[in-house]
Amino acid sequence: MGGYEVDPQIMLYDTKLSNYLQRKLKYFFLIVLFFLTTANQLIPFPLEKMGALVFSVFYVFMHEQSFTLNRYQWTLLGLSIGIALFSAVANISSFSFMIFFPVIGFFFAFNLSKKFYYLELFYFAIVLHIIVGLLLAADSYVHGINPHVAGMGGKGIPFLHSTYGLTSTSQSFGTLCISGLLIYYLRKDYKEVTILDNFIIYPLITIGIFNTFNRATFLAYFIILFFKNRKLLLFYLLCILILTIVFWDIILLSLFNTNTISSRSELLEGFNISFWQSHSLKVYLFGRGTNEVTANILFDVTWSSRKDIENGHAMLLHSYGFLGYLSYIFSCLIFVWTAFLRKYFYLASIAFYYLVVAPYITQEFVTSTFYIILAIFIYMLHCYTNDQSRYSIKPQEQVI
């Protein structure tokens, strides 16, 4: 019987088209997954934590033949598991499973930092989140305060709204914006920025940063500009000087608002009672096994509606004791010192700020945003060479 003979060129074209569509479908899946990993306030379900876990499983599955972690990463992962277990056992009847989330977070960060195209896909997911956050913020000025912004009446500027996006705090949204900015500059170092990056995405990230009205985010932004765009930094400082002169009273009230300063002290009342006043060696060593104070303590504090511990250093002490806290600080200092020894002062500065200084203001250890920016730091350190004052040539990566 006769039959039709298929042209090999057509078969080759169909194969290429099929592979192309499969790759684009995977990219779309990852961008959606990464977007959900940033959106812990989208629905009353821990999407971000599930997203971090799903990506980690996906990565291991896609790279099972080549999957590996370096010695430092295995050590940090094992240490985080051990510390969480010690804390859980020491508080077997009252610990929270939330203390194990950093284990997932670290594993997620290690995997995300392996390949730059994962960070690039996260870059577009972050931009999508920023767009959604800014639209929700714009809506709040039209239809009133919504759950995705916070009024700033307590800081003396009630006509402004701090943007949360689909995160729980303005600082978490700000961390997403800063993460996007870091990836933007990585793309710029690799000479991959496009007109879209320069004239659409970069302005959106900048608008997102300023719409947080968050001092911690502003300081991170200025640190980055000090190394990447000092002319723009000088322009901002000049604008700040002029605005300070013109609107001295409002700015003074906002920056040095006594209510804000006293509230941060009051938010530590529960921690002080639960941790320091426990007078327990076990608590000092292994913590309370939770990042929240108990209901009976809330009756004796000013902020009775806030059972979580906002200060990151206090949260680590309360959850894991000095064993966990000192392990974290030691690990951070090793990372920063490594960057410093490689003369990577840009990374050393922003990493020290985000890992050590920023947690004094608001902790993000139980949210995905901390581990997203941590993944970027790890990638930056891995790809930097100390014999030149710029990034090494972008490594060749196998595309999924």
Side-chain angles (χ1 to χ4, degrees), residues 28 71 101 112 120 122 155 204 212 227 241 259 285 326 359 361-362 370:
F28 176 77
R71 182 172 59 183
F101 176 65
L112 183 61
E120 285 188 298
F122 226 116
K155 296 184 178 181
L204 278 173
T212 64
F227 291 95
L241 178 62
N259 290 333
L285 283 176
L326 293 179
I361 303 172
T362 301
F370 175 79

Side-chain angles (χ1 to χ4, degrees), residues 3-275:
Y4 293 101
E5 194 171 314
V6 180
D7 188 340
Q9 292 295 328
I10 296 177
M11 291 182 63
L12 180 61
Y13 175 78
D14 288 343
T15 301
K16 288 183 176 180
L17 179 61
S18 176
N19 291 338
Y20 173 81
L21 292 175
Q22 288 181 25
R23 190 162 61 249
K24 291 301 180 181
L25 186 61
K26 288 177 183 177
Y27 287 171
F28 176 77
F29 164 75
L30 284 172
I31 290 175
V32 172
L33 177 63
F34 289 155
F35 174 77
L36 296 178
T37 304
T38 68
N40 65 350
Q41 297 295 307
L42 184 60
I43 61 174
F45 180 80
L47 273 177
E48 54 162 357
K49 296 171 178 59
M50 186 60 66
L53 182 59
V54 169
F55 171 75
S56 298
V57 173
F58 170 85
Y59 183 89
V60 173
F61 175 77
M62 293 299 298
H63 305 277
E64 57 180 333
Q65 300 298 325
S66 59
F67 171 77
T68 183
L69 298 177
N70 62 39
R71 182 172 59 183
Y72 177 80
Q73 291 171 341
W74 278 120
T75 301
L76 187 57
L77 199 61
L79 189 63
S80 61
I81 293 173
I83 290 171
L85 284 173
F86 275 124
S87 183
V89 171
N91 301 275
I92 195 65
S93 62
S94 59
F95 79 92
S96 167
F97 283 103
M98 187 64 74
I99 63 174
F100 288 95
F101 176 65
V103 177
I104 298 174
F106 285 132
F107 192 57
F108 165 74
F110 296 155
N111 291 327
L112 183 61
S113 67
K114 294 290 185 183
K115 296 183 181 295
F116 186 64
Y117 63 77
Y118 285 137
L119 293 180
E120 285 188 298
L121 294 176
F122 226 116
Y123 174 69
F124 295 111
I126 289 172
V127 172
L128 178 59
H129 191 138
I130 292 173
I131 292 172
V132 172
L134 292 177
L135 288 175
L136 291 170
D139 178 76
S140 71
Y141 287 103
V142 178
H143 298 106
I145 295 291
N146 60 51
H148 307 290
V149 300
M152 301 186 66
K155 296 184 178 181
I157 40 179
F159 49 89
L160 294 178
H161 301 163
S162 176
T163 303
Y164 284 14
L166 298 175
T167 69
S168 55
T169 66
S170 61
Q171 186 164 323
S172 293
F173 183 75
T175 298
L176 284 180
C177 295
I178 294 297
S179 297
L181 188 64
L182 290 171
I183 299 174
Y184 167 83
Y185 279 117
L186 276 170
R187 286 169 60 85
K188 191 171 184 178
D189 287 322
Y190 289 147
K191 303 187 186 308
E192 290 189 352
V193 292
T194 63
I195 293 176
L196 178 68
D197 290 290
N198 287 327
F199 294 100
I200 302 296
I201 294 179
Y202 183 82
L204 278 173
I205 292 173
T206 304
I207 293 170
I209 289 172
F210 282 113
N211 267 270
T212 64
F213 297 104
N214 181 270
R215 286 165 288 190
T217 302
F218 291 167
L219 185 54
Y221 181 46
F222 291 156
I223 290 173
I224 293 173
L225 291 182
F226 178 80
F227 291 95
K228 291 296 183 179
N229 196 337
R230 292 183 183 175
K231 290 183 180 179
L232 182 58
L233 176 61
L234 289 174
F235 171 75
Y236 284 144
L237 294 178
L238 180 61
C239 290
I240 291 172
L241 178 62
I242 295 172
L243 289 173
T244 301
I245 295 173
V246 177
F247 301 104
W248 170 256
D249 292 338
I250 296 176
I251 292 176
L252 188 67
L253 181 63
S254 176
L255 292 178
F256 304 101
N257 188 282
T258 56
N259 290 333
T260 302
I261 298 172
S262 62
S263 67
R264 295 203 177 276
S265 176
E266 291 165 353
L267 284 168
L268 287 173
E269 290 175 352
F271 162 74
N272 291 331
I273 296 172
S274 182
F275 185 81

